[in-house]
Amino acid sequence: EKFPKRRIRLLNKRNGGLADARNVGLGFVKGTWLCMLDSDDLLGRDYLHRAADLIEEDANVDIVPGCMRNFDAVSSDWCFPEGFSIV
């Protein structure tokens, strides 16, 4: 399903789990950057802008991890340590 004059495309598929849904979605990616967001996630107001700045500042950046805030009974924040790298 396409939204006219918008950069959003809605894909419908049978339930096959999270990994399957992401893999199908990856097959339709046309842009340079990708941000995965699950149905129970919220992005911080500045996240995409700050992530884009980091990527543009350093050509070696492949992944920009973010922080997490739990919305359960116990609220808490968790961020990757400064200088975190998966390489």
Side-chain angles (χ1 to χ4, degrees):
E1 185 176 338
K2 291 186 179 182
F3 294 86
K5 298 184 181 181
R6 301 199 189 260
R7 297 179 296 173
I8 299 171
R9 184 169 184 182
L10 177 63
L11 305 174
N12 292 302
K13 64 169 290 314
R14 288 180 188 236
N15 187 359
L18 178 60
D20 183 53
R22 287 188 173 173
N23 287 333
V24 168
L26 284 171
F28 289 88
V29 172
K30 294 182 180 179
T32 304
W33 301 342
L34 171 69
C35 178
M36 296 210 175
L37 188 66
D38 293 331
S39 62
D40 61 347
D41 292 342
L42 297 172
L43 282 181
R45 182 175 295 148
D46 299 358
Y47 176 77
L48 293 177
H49 185 268
R50 292 173 64 193
D53 286 347
L54 287 171
I55 293 167
E56 289 175 348
E57 288 172 11
D58 186 346
N60 295 315
V61 172
D62 291 319
I63 296 175
V64 180
C67 296
M68 178 183 80
R69 174 171 289 158
N70 286 327
F71 294 100
D72 295 337
V74 178
S75 294
S76 63
D77 292 350
W78 183 87
C79 292
F80 287 91
E82 185 71 31
F84 171 80
S85 174
I86 62 168
V87 177

